[in-house]
Amino acid sequence: MKVLIVGSGGREHAIAVAMKKSKRVDELFCVPGNAGIAQIATCEPSIKVMEFDKIVAYAKEKAVDLVFVAPDDPLVGGLVDCLEENGLRAFGARKNAAILEGSKAFSKDLMKKYNIPTAAYETFDDADKALEYLETAEMPIVLKADGLALGKGVLICNTLEEAKAGVKEIMLDKHFGSAGNRMVIEEFMTGREVSVLSFVDGKTIKTMTSAQDHKRAKDGDQGLNTGGMGNFSPSPFYTKEVDDFCQKYIYQATVDAMASEGREFKGVIFFGLMLTPKGPRVLEYNARFGDPEAQVVLCRMENDIMDVVDACIDGTLDKVDLRFEDNAAVCVILASDGYPVSYEKGFEITGLDKFEGRDDYYCFHAGTKFDENGKVVTNGGRVLGITAKGDTLKEARRKAYEACEWVDFKNKYMRHDIGKAIDEA
Ligand code: AMP
Ligand code: GLY
């Protein structure tokens, strides 16, 4: 088979590595890709993920058997529908299902309608009404821009003044663009966060091993929210008891709710959960693999990824025995200092060869490219996702941090406490 992956980050590199391992995949393509993906796939850096016509033309030209759409923007924008209309086989949520991630108001309303546990909330189209609501609301409180905002459209406000400023930022000043035309205001919850990814075929859902992300830029969960600075899998806090609860009240309930709404979901649902004192609650849904969750989850999957992808598309996931290795993985992001605000790029990356031939170590490229001399240089905020597997989380963490020292570039930045929570488990 020939497979085309759409996307350019560490997640897409992890998907490409899993595809490369598949017995059924002969040739890989990726648009736009990056310098790491280019080692195992033919990349076309000139085609961007929202250029649907170009992606369709490229898929036809290369006669691919499958297009795997990985990032949120093209999923929410309807790339899968567009590929299917052109007679191409595609993996990922269709537009009417990707709204689960594309609109926070939609996902909150869905959870309310189908009794799926989540934080209490109100939705607003009008800034004045939102400001009025805040006057009697309990603090802290959480403000969320309705639409996609690169994972940054969520503000946690400790005081009324902060919350009012937040409404202005989202709805009036449009810091997150049109994502802020509507807003969700929700109850602030406390607890540990866990990510659970799942494969879905419209009816059946099979969950993958759990992971825990570190969203803030700095050690000790300080600093700004980012796309994710590292993570680990499995989460020791995701116990059998928690899993039983979520299987019963959250996972299948979400798939059934989408089907009842006439929005059959096929692809990957990412459940962002908070383990509150009152039980697990849904923080958010994503309609795709997480980044860097894909990096720590896919490298532990025992199944051939193509078998699972086919089962999702064909509606035969009930026949798949989804299995994960009984070990652990940790991913530490090497970023450009200054991310997520402003940073320089274009610096040469050295030491990449140290990963060659080492089984349990992975160097997933996120923001890299080749410069005019063919050298690999930094090309984004998140540059590399250094990942290692071990028998235990502690061993995986030790190995991941060891491997972080193998590579270097000017302005290299990382958190030093990824997976530190393991010590408390
Ligand atoms: P989201 O994009 O919805 O996952 O939100 C980003 C981050 O904001 C989450 O990972 C949480 O850390 C935090 N967050 C979101 N909603 C809430 C909430 N209701 N209570 C507390 N923290 C929240
Ligand atoms: N790491 C969180 C996300 O991909 O949204």
Side-chain angles (χ1 to χ4, degrees), residues 106-146:
F106 171 85
S107 71
K108 295 296 293 189
D109 290 347
L110 186 87
M111 288 186 267
K112 187 191 252 178
K113 183 168 171 190
Y114 293 92
N115 288 317
I116 298 168
T118 187
Y121 75 101
E122 295 288 337
T123 306
F124 297 92
D125 293 304
D126 177 285
D128 288 335
K129 293 244 166 63
L131 290 168
E132 194 185 314
Y133 172 82
L134 286 175
E135 291 292 341
T136 55
E138 214 175 298
M139 300 293 143
I141 200 149
V142 183
L143 311 184
K144 298 186 174 184
D146 178 50

Side-chain angles (χ1 to χ4, degrees), residues 34-90:
N34 63 37
I37 298 171
Q39 293 164 357
I40 51 175
T42 305
C43 294
E44 184 44 70
S46 71
I47 301 178
K48 306 300 176 218
V49 301
M50 292 307 281
E51 294 180 324
F52 293 4
D53 292 345
K54 287 190 186 170
I55 295 171
V56 168
Y58 187 77
K60 287 191 171 167
E61 179 198 319
K62 301 295 178 191
V64 302
D65 302 289
L66 175 86
V67 185
F68 189 120
V69 184
D72 46 357
D73 280 322
L75 287 165
V76 170
L79 177 55
V80 169
D81 308 58
C82 176
L83 291 161
E84 286 178 345
E85 282 154 19
N86 282 279
L88 292 154
R89 189 168 161 88

Side-chain angles (χ1 to χ4, degrees), residues 350-419:
T350 56
L352 294 167
D353 53 320
K354 301 219 172 71
F355 288 84
E356 280 163 23
R358 306 190 73 141
D359 262 357
D360 290 345
Y361 294 88
Y362 305 82
C363 177
F364 295 118
H365 290 228
T368 68
K369 67 169 191 181
F370 292 107
D371 72 2
E372 56 281 4
N373 306 313
K375 287 192 174 130
V376 179
V377 297
T378 64
N379 190 38
R382 293 193 288 178
V383 177
L384 300 169
I386 305 299
T387 306
K389 290 201 285 196
D391 289 341
T392 63
L393 280 164
K394 278 195 179 151
E395 193 198 334
R397 177 168 56 154
R398 185 187 59 68
K399 287 164 76 175
Y401 273 110
E402 171 200 14
C404 283
E405 299 307 322
W406 299 348
V407 274
D408 204 15
F409 52 89
K410 205 175 148 193
N411 83 348
K412 170 178 153 188
Y413 171 82
M414 66 180 137
R415 275 182 65 161
H416 291 89
D417 61 349
I418 302 301

Side-chain angles (χ1 to χ4, degrees), residues 11 72 101 150-151 195 213-215 226-231 270 284 286 288-294 382:
R11 164 183 51 210
D72 46 357
E101 169 164 11
L150 294 170
S195 309
D213 200 5
H214 295 69
K215 285 207 170 81
T226 70
M229 292 300 293
N231 63 0
F270 169 131
E284 63 159 347
N286 294 320
R288 53 173 171 82
F289 272 102
D291 190 349
E293 282 81 354
R382 293 193 288 178

Side-chain angles (χ1 to χ4, degrees), residues 104 119 142 144 151 154 156 186-190 193 215 225 274 283-284:
K104 298 219 186 262
V142 183
K144 298 186 174 184
V154 174
I156 297 179
E186 73 175 32
E187 170 200 7
F188 175 76
M189 304 185 290
T190 55
E193 286 184 43
K215 285 207 170 81
N225 253 327
M274 189 174 267
L283 274 174
E284 63 159 347

